[in-house]
Every structure is written in C-alpha cells, then in structure tokens.
C-alpha cells in the first residue's frame, strides 16, 4: 500500500510539473493589449531589447520554480511520513531525554536539517539564476550565512509553536485548534513588534538615513499623514541585490520607515518621495491592522480545517503513514503538509486583497505628492532593476502577485494626456540609468 501510494504521488507530481512547464513556457499570454501599446506602461518604451528578452526569460523561470517548489515540498512531507522517517526521528529524540521540550527540540532539529538538505539544491538554483541574470549581487558565503540564520530563526519559532500545539492536543484533542488560535493573537502581535529591532538586523545593517535633506522631506510627508515617525532608516542591500525596495515595518513604537540603499542610489528624490508616500498609505489606511485581522481570520479557519483533515487522514491512512495518533510529534509533517496546501489554496484570495490595498496606496501617493511623472518613472525603474514581468499570465497573477502588475500600475498613475508619448523615462534618462 505504501509503495503504491508513493509511486502514485511521484507520477502525479511529474504530470503536474509537465503541465506547469507547458503553461509557463508555451501557452502564450503576457502580451501588451493594443490599447496600451506605445504608452508609458508599454515596456518597449522604457526597456532595451536585451532587458525585454532577459525579463521574459527570467520571469518564466521564476514563475515555473514557484509553481514547482511548493508541491515539491508537499511531496517531501508525504515521503517523510510514508517511509517512516518521521517516526524514526521521534524514536531517536525520545530515547535521548525524558524532558518533553528537549524531545521536541531534538525531533525538530532532525526534521529541519533533513528538509534543509533536501531543498538546498532548489534554493541554490534559485540563487544562482538570480545572480546569473544580474538581480542578486550576493556572494555565496553571504547567501549561506542568510540561509543558516533562516534555519535557526525558523527552528526557534517552530519549537515554540510545535511545543504549544502538541501540548494543547494532549490537553484537548477536539478543541486544540481553537486554543491554538487564541494564542496566535498575542504571538503574532509580539513577532510583528520585535521583528524590526530583533529579527531584521540579523540579516542586514540598519542605520539612520544619511541624506538628512531627503529625510526631512520624507518626515514632512509623514507629518502630513499623522504618522509618528522620528527617523527614516536605510539598509545596506547593494551587496545582496540590484533590486529596489522601500517599506514600513513593525507596529507601535517599533514601527520603522526603511529604504534600501539601492533605491537611494538609483531613484531621484521625487521618485523616492512617491514610493514613501505609497508606503505611508498602508499606515494611514490601516492596512497593517486589516492584514492582522485577515490573517487571524484565515488562521482560525485554517486550523479548524487542519484539525478536521488531520483526524480523517490519521483515521484512514495512519497505519500507512506510520502515525499512531495525533498527539505523537511524528504527525508534524502531516500538519505541515495540510497547512501548506491550505495556504497555497488561499493565495488567490489573499493576493487579491493585497493588490487592492496596493492600488489604494498608489492612489493615495498620487494625491499626496501630485507627481505622476515621478510615479511612472519610479515604476519603470523598479521594472528594469528587477527584470519584472509587466503583464503576467492569469495563474501567475492569482498565485504570485501581491502587487498589481506593473502594466496596470503604470497605466493608472500615468498622465492620461501623455500616454501615447514615449513616456516620462526619456531616452537620455534611460541611458544614464542603465549605465548605473
């Protein structure tokens, strides 16, 4: 039975990979509508032929890897259960100590290490692709360092979450999911509070913005929006990427306005002010708090569905998956498998909400800065720096895009009277930008 299920799983994964390969590389899509050709939103107007070619190639590879990586993760979880690896890890961990917390730590370390090793080739390929297309500038040692930090941060978080969940399961096999959700509320807020000052600095160096004139302009916009910010931070990302970014992170007194140094080096002050006004819009319109509320709502639904599914699977296939009962930590890969499937299935909904919020933020930034030209050129430069796909295929947009496609964003912020011109990123600006 186990062998048959394993073969079926491998065949299904193979068929899925072939279907996604055809969809991404050969089904067409992503063309520019005739009405938008020749406008500021048309990539032909602001990208070179080489950039257009590389953008198309790079986007397809990234999209394909995205759609393959998550089901591959499911397959790994399934095989770990099917081959008895999870039960073996549990036996090893429980034989070393009587302390439950240490048993959980031992099991999670073995499982996390195995997952890290199995997924390493795919992660390395992603890193190598990003570097070969000129997006990543990160040396291998720095990339490995970030990966090791990721490993330990995720391990500590998992140890806390898993220990609490399996303790709740032992206390209440029927309502553990509800109690787990109630504990999720303070835990989520706590993590968001400490992330800017504890977690983020593990990966990069943050320091006050050196350009005080620009900082004063940004803080002036923040004051107009009633955002209690005293400093703007910059982060040294040039050693890792050529991409551009800026964001507002954290909640309460630990909230931060952050600019990547790549953004500072390659955008004009007006373009940066538009981007910062966009980020501040998320604060003004309380998108962070709506996001927390939505996350908690989806979490309670997800935990309830997980509890239903995991009980059914163990009751029906527990003997095949080497799971005696839900309370055994060896069932954890099944928990990961079910929650990962549910999260993937929820992507179209959560991404749709996110794209709506991003559109609102763009509109707010235009109203705040009244500078459509800076908005357009900022988006054009963001597209070039990340070799972004301006008009992705439908499934890609549904499952991957938390922001509207650049075609839509540029079209909506562009001056309607000048859309049929070359676009605000003039040829001389473009040549100067490409030299950088």
């Amino acid at each position: 039975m186990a062998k048959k299920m394993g073969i079926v799983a491998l065949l299904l994964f193979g068929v899925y990979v072939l279907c996604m390969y055809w969809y991404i590389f050969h089904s067409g899509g992503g063309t520019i509508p005739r009405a938008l050709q020749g406008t500021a939103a048309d990539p032909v107007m602001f990208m070179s032929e080489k950039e257009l070619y590389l953008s198309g190639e790079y986007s397809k590879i990234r999209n394909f890897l995205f759609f393959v990586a998550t089901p591959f993760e499911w397959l790994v979880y399934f095989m770990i259960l099917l081959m008895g690896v999870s039960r073996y890890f549990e036996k090893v961990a429980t034989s070393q100590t009587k302390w439950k917390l240490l048993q959980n730590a031992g099991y999670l370390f073995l499982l996390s290490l195995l997952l890290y090793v199995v997924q390493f080739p795919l992660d390395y390929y992603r890193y190598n692709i990003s570097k070969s297309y000129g997006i990543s500038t990160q040396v291998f040692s720095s990339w490995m360092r970030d990966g090791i930090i990721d490993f330990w941060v995720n391990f500590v978080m998992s140890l806390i979450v898993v220990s609490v969940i399996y303790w709740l399961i032992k206390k209440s096999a029927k309502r553990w999911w509800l109690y787990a959700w109630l504990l999720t509320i303070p835990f989520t807020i706590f993590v968001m509070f400490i992330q800017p000052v504890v977690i983020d600095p593990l990966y990069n160096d943050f320091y006050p913005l050196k350009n005080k004139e620009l900082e004063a302009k940004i803080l002036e916009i923040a004051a107009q929006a009633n955002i209690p910010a005293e400093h703007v931070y910059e982060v040294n990302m040039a050693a890792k990427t050529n991409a551009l970014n800026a964001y507002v992170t954290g909640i309460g007194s630990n909230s931060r306005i952050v600019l990547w140094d790549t953004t500072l080096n390659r955008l004009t002050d007006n373009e940066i002010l538009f981007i910062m006004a966009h980020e501040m819009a998320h604060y003004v319109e309380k998108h962070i708090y709506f996001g927390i509320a939505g996350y908690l709502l989806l979490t309670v639904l997800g935990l309830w569905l997980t509890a239903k599914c995991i009980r059914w699977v163990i009751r029906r296939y527990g003997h095949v998956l080497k799971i005696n009962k839900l309370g055994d930590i060896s069932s954890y890969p099944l928990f990961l498998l079910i929650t990962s499937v549910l999260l993937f299935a929820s992507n179209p909904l959560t991404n749709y909400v996110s794209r709506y919020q991003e559109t609102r933020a763009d509109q707010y930034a235009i109203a705040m800065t009244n500078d459509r030209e800076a908005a357009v050129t900022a988006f054009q430069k963001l597209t070039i720096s990340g070799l972004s796909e301006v008009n992705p295929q439908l499934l890609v947009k549904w499952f991957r895009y938390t922001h509207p496609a650049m075609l839509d964003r540029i079209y909506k912020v562009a001056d309607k009277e000048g859309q049929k011109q070359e676009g605000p990123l003039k040829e001389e600006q473009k040549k100067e930008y490409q030299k950088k």
Side-chain angles (χ1 to χ4, degrees), residues 229-250:
E230 297 180 0
H231 298 287
V232 179
Y233 291 85
E234 60 179 284
V235 55
N236 60 329
M237 292 298 296
K240 294 184 178 182
T241 182
N242 281 318
L244 313 179
N245 197 17
Y247 58 91
V248 177
T249 185

Side-chain angles (χ1 to χ4, degrees), residues 80-147:
I80 285 174
L81 290 167
L82 206 61
M83 297 170 67
V85 176
S86 184
R87 179 185 282 184
Y88 173 73
F89 285 168
E90 182 184 34
K91 287 180 179 179
V92 171
T94 54
S95 67
Q96 301 301 311
T97 177
K98 293 182 178 179
W99 292 87
K100 195 63 179 176
L101 183 62
L102 294 179
Q103 290 177 356
N104 292 344
Y107 171 85
L108 285 173
F109 177 77
L110 293 172
L111 180 64
S112 300
L113 185 61
L114 175 62
L115 292 173
Y116 178 82
V117 171
V118 170
Q119 294 174 335
F120 182 84
L122 184 58
D123 291 336
Y124 177 74
Y125 180 70
R126 281 171 159 169
Y127 158 73
N128 196 48
I129 284 292
S130 179
K131 194 158 188 178
S132 65
Y133 278 87
I135 306 301
S136 174
T137 59
Q138 192 172 21
V139 297
F140 179 74
S141 59
S142 173
W143 178 76
M144 281 296 298
R145 176 183 175 274
D146 284 353

Side-chain angles (χ1 to χ4, degrees), residues 307-347:
K308 294 287 186 183
C309 292
I310 203 168
R311 276 202 297 266
W312 180 84
V313 171
I314 291 176
R315 184 170 61 249
R316 179 119 183 219
Y317 300 106
H319 63 289
V320 180
L321 300 177
K322 316 295 190 298
I323 302 173
N324 293 327
K325 60 181 185 295
L326 176 59
D328 292 341
I329 198 171
S330 59
S331 67
Y332 183 54
L334 179 59
F335 184 89
L336 290 174
L337 172 59
I338 293 171
T339 54
S340 181
V341 170
L342 292 175
L343 282 171
F344 188 78
S346 70
N347 275 352

Side-chain angles (χ1 to χ4, degrees), residues 191-201 249-251 254-256:
V191 170
M192 292 188 68
F193 184 77
I194 68 167
Q195 182 168 339
V197 295
V198 176
I199 299 176
D200 289 349
T249 185
I251 56 174
N254 277 1
S255 60
R256 280 184 173 182

